[in-house]
Amino acid sequence: MKRGRKPTIDAADITRAAIAVADAEGLAAVSMARVAQEMGNATMALYRHVKSKDELLTLMADAAFDEPPALPDGEWRDKLGAWARAMLGGIRRRPWFLQIPMSGPPTGPKSLAWFDSALGALEGTPLEAGEKVGVVMGLMTFVHGEAWLSVALTKGFENDPAQFSREYGQRLREIVDPRRMPALAKIVAAGVFDVDDLFDADDVAADFDFGLHLFLEGVATHIGGRA
């Protein structure tokens, strides 16, 4: 009995297989050889469709997210807030996304769709085109930074819960010199870190909401000045 020909593959198939590897084993496990193994193909077969691992990572970064969600009715602030929370949720579902080097502005179809969605939220404001881009890029930077911090803290807590306990406050009392770090010394003296558990998922979410509120308030003040 003759073996049938292996089904043809394309870049989208390779990207999906690479994402499956990253979801299961982390981004460090992704290589052209490992993805080929996942697909049951020869490694060289992949290079006919994807030139390099760098190109594969770029494809993965774009495909990591779902399409942007429909934004709620209401003012621009509600829409951008929903957009930011949706992006944060997407990154948290695939934290390996944060490890992919960013080599340039978005060019992938999904990345551009998210960009368009956020820009659309600002329609009807008096902002100029360049200002809208600046707002969206600033919000994206905030979300990515918050996502990186929450993922890193979660991993750190899972590896060593003790460092997120009262021990941290005790260490700060030992090493923070009020003459060199007066502002931090006041926070330590106020007992902010004297709690049994410094890490709480609800607190992380509250910190994100507070930071998002401050960012949007700043945009609102700028829009008020433009109006």
Side-chain angles (χ1 to χ4, degrees):
M1 182 177 178
K2 293 183 178 180
R3 291 184 178 181
R5 294 181 60 186
K6 288 186 178 181
T8 57
I9 61 174
D10 58 20
D13 296 325
I14 297 169
T15 303
R16 282 191 291 270
I19 286 176
V21 172
D23 286 344
E25 305 172 30
L27 189 66
V30 174
S31 67
M32 298 297 278
R34 177 66 185 86
V35 175
Q37 180 185 10
E38 179 79 8
M39 301 181 71
N41 284 88
T43 303
M44 291 308 298
L46 274 59
Y47 283 104
R48 300 190 189 105
H49 308 278
V50 178
K51 296 178 182 178
S52 65
K53 181 180 176 180
D54 287 343
E55 182 178 332
L56 177 58
L57 291 176
T58 299
L59 294 171
M60 290 174 66
D62 188 65
F65 288 84
D66 296 328
E67 293 291 337
L71 299 182
D73 295 330
E75 64 167 358
W76 64 268
R77 193 189 318 231
D78 298 325
K79 295 178 179 179
L80 279 188
W83 183 91
R85 292 184 180 91
M87 173 168 279
L88 179 66
I91 296 175
R92 283 178 173 167
R93 282 191 294 273
R94 287 192 164 133
W96 50 260
F97 169 84
L98 295 169
Q99 300 171 16
I100 297 179
M102 184 176 293
S103 58
T107 56
K110 282 189 179 178
S111 299
L112 292 177
W114 278 84
F115 196 21
D116 176 78
S117 176
L119 289 171
L122 293 169
E123 288 295 323
T125 69
L127 296 176
E128 298 176 358
E131 291 176 310
K132 291 177 181 177
V133 171
V135 168
V136 174
M137 295 302 294
L139 181 56
M140 191 180 301
T141 300
F142 166 74
V143 173
H144 283 209
E146 285 290 318
W148 178 86
L149 185 62
S150 66
V151 168
L153 288 176
T154 299
K155 185 176 181 181
F157 177 76
E158 291 172 349
N159 291 338
D160 185 7
Q163 70 174 325
F164 290 85
S165 67
R166 287 180 180 271
E167 292 180 11
Y168 180 68
Q170 293 169 358
R171 287 200 301 272
L172 288 183
R173 281 188 165 82
E174 295 171 0
I175 62 178
V176 173
D177 184 345
R179 293 168 298 181
R180 294 182 60 246
M181 293 172 275
L184 179 56
K186 290 178 182 178
I187 298 298
V188 174
V192 173
F193 302 108
D194 294 336
V195 294
D196 293 329
D197 190 354
L198 291 172
F199 180 84
D200 183 274
D202 292 336
D203 288 342
V204 172
D207 288 343
F208 175 81
D209 288 340
F210 181 60
L212 179 61
H213 167 73
L214 294 180
F215 180 89
L216 296 178
E217 281 296 303
V219 176
T221 298
H222 180 70
I223 288 177
R226 292 286 298 150

